[in-house]
Amino acid sequence: MSKPIVAIVGRPNVGKSTLFNQIGKQRVSIVDDMPGVTRDRIYLDAEWLGHEFTMIDTGGIELDESDHILRSMRQQAQIAMEEADVILFVVDGRAGLTPADEEVGHLLRAAKKPVILAVNKVDSPERQMDVYEFYSLGLGDPIGISASNAMNLGDLLDVVVAAFPETTGEDKDADEISIAVIGRPNVGKSSIVNAILGEERVIVSDVPGTTRDAIDTHFVRDEQKYMLIDTAGMRRRGKIDAPVERYSVMRSLRAIDRADVVLMMINAAEGITEQDKKIAGYAHESGRGVVIVVNKWDIFPDKDDKSTLRFTEDLRDQLGFLQYAPILYASALTGQRVNRVTELVKYVAEQQSMRIKTSVLNDLIRDAVSVNPPPMHRGRQLKILFMTQADVKPPKFIIFVNDPELMHFSYLRFIENRLREQFGFEGTPLVLIVRKRKEEEEA
């Protein structure tokens, strides 16, 4: 099951982004801080008391900056009402109740979604009185918080997670590989789905944003079961005409969360854009397997025998955090290399699930240390005691050392590279966790 989505709605300067960032600091799920991954985010995956969820800062969704504040807020509320599981409406306790708050409150009362009212900037017992006037919004009990210093943040999150919808309890078929097709609008996501399936299962249109819902299609290929999730494309900031297209961000994130392997679609004719980098960053940070599909290769301009090499070098340079992802040059229109998609997806899914024995990992560590000893730091030597694999999808390794602070990022990258050289792990990110081993265990 995908994680619940919590959307933050509110006027400018009420503290939405501060609250968003504060929750991120408190408890964010595993995120790779690898250089090159975009940090300009509008979402975070968080956890509170065992409940995992995705939080969306609607102020970061592509709203036209020229929009009047009230119209912008209506659009935020519409996005949240349409797509979120829980809506977190943030107001400013110091400024008091405003007409814009009342207008959005009226919209949210009609929403068939749980709405939590957070009164921000209530940073002292004296300011608690500021909360009471917001009862008139008719959205239940307001919760006074201070996002800047995390006051009552736990109480707020308790209410948020209590409002999550109950899961259906449906179990995913363990033998089925789920594939999310993601990318900007008009890169050919629906076309590649149809080409893979060999029939018109999804409406194809040259108008960006046609696919507005995630559509699941189950099929079997070479005795392997698959599920394809086709998603609405994400749009570049400031380039959205129809408000409904803004929902694509949430839907794509939800699709990634449900997938085993992601097909990251790139338009060959347009090259690699900043939005491509952001979307690829979502996929990478999710820990899912990734296959990069460069579509429309049949119309790549001025193509010669070195075009593939040059495009690959540019792609590896601009998407440096996806060095591990295989690249497929294809054309959904002509069917060129489309037959290799499921073959690559199955291979990446196998790489994701690979387990390495602890004894084999420690042989690798000994060899790595002998070839490239850990550098000294302030007169102290890093000692790597042993490494073990803790999980799969993505493969997670725990490295026990004498002092984690002595582990430099570059040396951790060296170990990751040795793992990939020895075992492959193509198409999947690796999670390397450094822990201190207790003295009694070292003896």
Side-chain angles (χ1 to χ4, degrees):
M1 297 297 294
S2 57
K3 293 188 287 288
I5 287 180
V6 179
I8 304 179
V9 172
R11 289 186 294 110
N13 302 317
V14 296
K16 297 191 303 294
S17 294
T18 302
L19 177 61
F20 178 84
N21 293 330
Q22 188 69 261
I23 292 173
K25 291 177 187 176
Q26 298 300 308
R27 180 63 180 90
V28 181
S29 64
I30 296 169
V31 171
D32 192 344
D33 287 324
M34 184 182 299
V37 178
T38 176
R39 315 314 303 178
D40 179 17
R41 68 171 71 255
I42 62 165
Y43 82 103
L44 64 84
D45 287 331
E47 179 188 18
W48 181 251
L49 301 179
H51 298 274
E52 295 183 350
F53 59 97
T54 298
M55 180 158 280
I56 300 282
D57 182 1
T58 59
I61 292 176
E62 291 86 340
L63 296 172
D64 188 348
E65 293 181 0
S66 66
D67 280 352
H68 184 273
I69 287 175
L70 184 54
R71 185 170 71 177
S72 177
M73 285 186 66
R74 287 198 195 102
Q75 291 174 334
Q76 291 178 23
Q78 183 183 7
I79 291 168
M81 290 165 63
E82 180 74 17
E83 202 55 39
D85 295 298
V86 175
I87 301 168
L88 184 54
F89 182 23
V90 182
V91 294
D92 186 338
R94 291 182 183 174
L97 187 62
T98 69
D101 294 330
E102 293 178 330
E103 177 78 16
V104 174
H106 176 71
L107 287 174
L108 295 180
R109 282 198 301 273
K112 296 180 180 179
K113 304 285 177 70
V115 179
I116 312 300
L117 179 58
V119 183
N120 193 27
K121 305 181 184 179
V122 180
D123 50 14
S124 67
E126 292 75 21
R127 302 215 69 95
Q128 188 61 37
M129 297 296 293
D130 298 338
V131 171
Y132 297 114
E133 68 172 314
F134 291 95
Y135 273 97
S136 64
L137 289 173
L139 294 172
D141 294 332
I143 302 171
I145 65 167
S146 174
S148 61
N149 59 24
M151 182 178 292
N152 287 344
L153 193 62
D155 291 344
L156 176 65
L157 290 174
D158 285 343
V159 176
V160 168
V161 299
F164 289 164
E166 293 184 8
T167 59
T168 61
E170 296 176 358
D171 293 325
K172 180 182 179 297
D173 187 338
D175 297 327
E176 185 177 62
I177 301 172
S178 52
I179 310 166
V181 185
I182 65 168
R184 294 182 295 114
N186 217 23
V187 295
K189 296 185 300 298
S190 295
S191 297
I192 203 78
V193 167
N194 291 337
I196 292 169
L197 296 172
E199 58 185 294
E200 292 291 322
R201 290 284 186 91
V202 181
I203 296 172
V204 179
S205 169
D206 290 331
V207 179
T210 298
T211 307
R212 297 238 163 82
D213 294 298
I215 302 169
D216 295 352
T217 306
H218 302 265
F219 69 102
V220 177
R221 184 72 42 82
D222 297 328
E223 300 183 353
Q224 171 64 53
K225 292 187 284 186
Y226 298 92
M227 180 178 72
L228 267 169
I229 309 166
D230 184 27
T231 62
M234 300 183 189
R235 298 302 302 272
R236 192 165 63 251
R237 191 181 308 277
K239 294 293 184 181
I240 297 177
D241 298 319
V244 70
E245 293 180 13
R246 300 188 183 97
Y247 308 155
S248 64
V249 173
M250 295 190 197
R251 288 180 175 163
S252 295
L253 291 174
R254 201 188 292 272
I256 290 170
D257 184 52
R258 295 171 55 212
D260 296 310
V261 179
V262 169
L263 294 185
M264 174 65 213
M265 302 288 292
I266 302 286
N267 186 328
E270 296 179 1
I272 303 151
T273 69
E274 286 302 312
Q275 188 70 347
D276 288 326
K277 295 177 186 178
K278 288 181 172 61
I279 298 169
Y282 299 159
H284 168 73
E285 293 186 352
S286 72
R288 272 44 179 184
V290 180
V291 175
I292 300 172
V293 178
V294 182
N295 191 32
K296 307 187 182 182
W297 191 241
D298 55 316
I299 60 171
F300 184 77
D302 303 320
K303 188 158 50 177
D304 58 35
D305 59 350
K306 295 290 196 327
S307 294
T308 302
L309 178 61
R310 287 194 296 269
F311 199 100
T312 298
E313 288 176 347
D314 186 38
L315 196 150
R316 294 299 191 198
D317 180 57
Q318 297 202 51
L319 301 180
F321 50 90
L322 285 181
Q323 296 291 329
Y324 56 82
I327 304 171
L328 181 66
Y329 291 85
S331 169
L333 182 64
T334 67
Q336 180 186 20
R337 300 190 186 92
V338 171
N339 62 330
R340 290 207 58 213
V341 171
T342 51
E343 172 189 330
L344 272 174
V345 165
K346 183 179 179 181
Y347 174 66
V348 168
E350 291 169 349
Q351 297 284 293
Q352 279 184 298
S353 302
M354 191 188 310
R355 284 192 178 272
I356 311 299
K357 292 181 179 179
T358 299
S359 60
V360 176
L361 289 173
N362 287 308
D363 287 342
L364 179 143
I365 284 292
R366 279 191 292 271
D367 290 344
V369 169
S370 65
V371 171
N372 181 17
M376 298 284 289
H377 181 67
R378 295 180 180 177
R380 298 188 63 203
Q381 180 78 47
L382 172 71
K383 294 180 181 178
I384 301 179
L385 305 169
F386 72 97
M387 177 167 65
T388 187
Q389 185 172 357
D391 209 348
V392 295
K393 294 186 177 183
K396 181 188 298 182
F397 300 91
I398 302 177
I399 305 170
F400 289 90
V401 301
N402 58 331
D403 185 352
E405 293 185 3
L406 299 176
M407 176 67 81
H408 192 271
F409 173 82
S410 61
Y411 201 78
L412 204 59
R413 175 61 61 82
F414 165 69
I415 294 174
E416 178 181 340
N417 290 339
R418 295 295 292 222
L419 282 166
R420 292 190 184 278
E421 290 168 8
Q422 186 79 23
F423 306 112
F425 291 117
E426 190 172 3
T428 180
L430 300 181
V431 179
L432 273 60
I433 300 171
V434 181
R435 287 185 182 166
K436 178 178 175 61
R437 192 177 185 188
K438 295 179 181 178
E439 292 183 5
E440 57 270 21
E441 292 180 313
E442 295 180 31

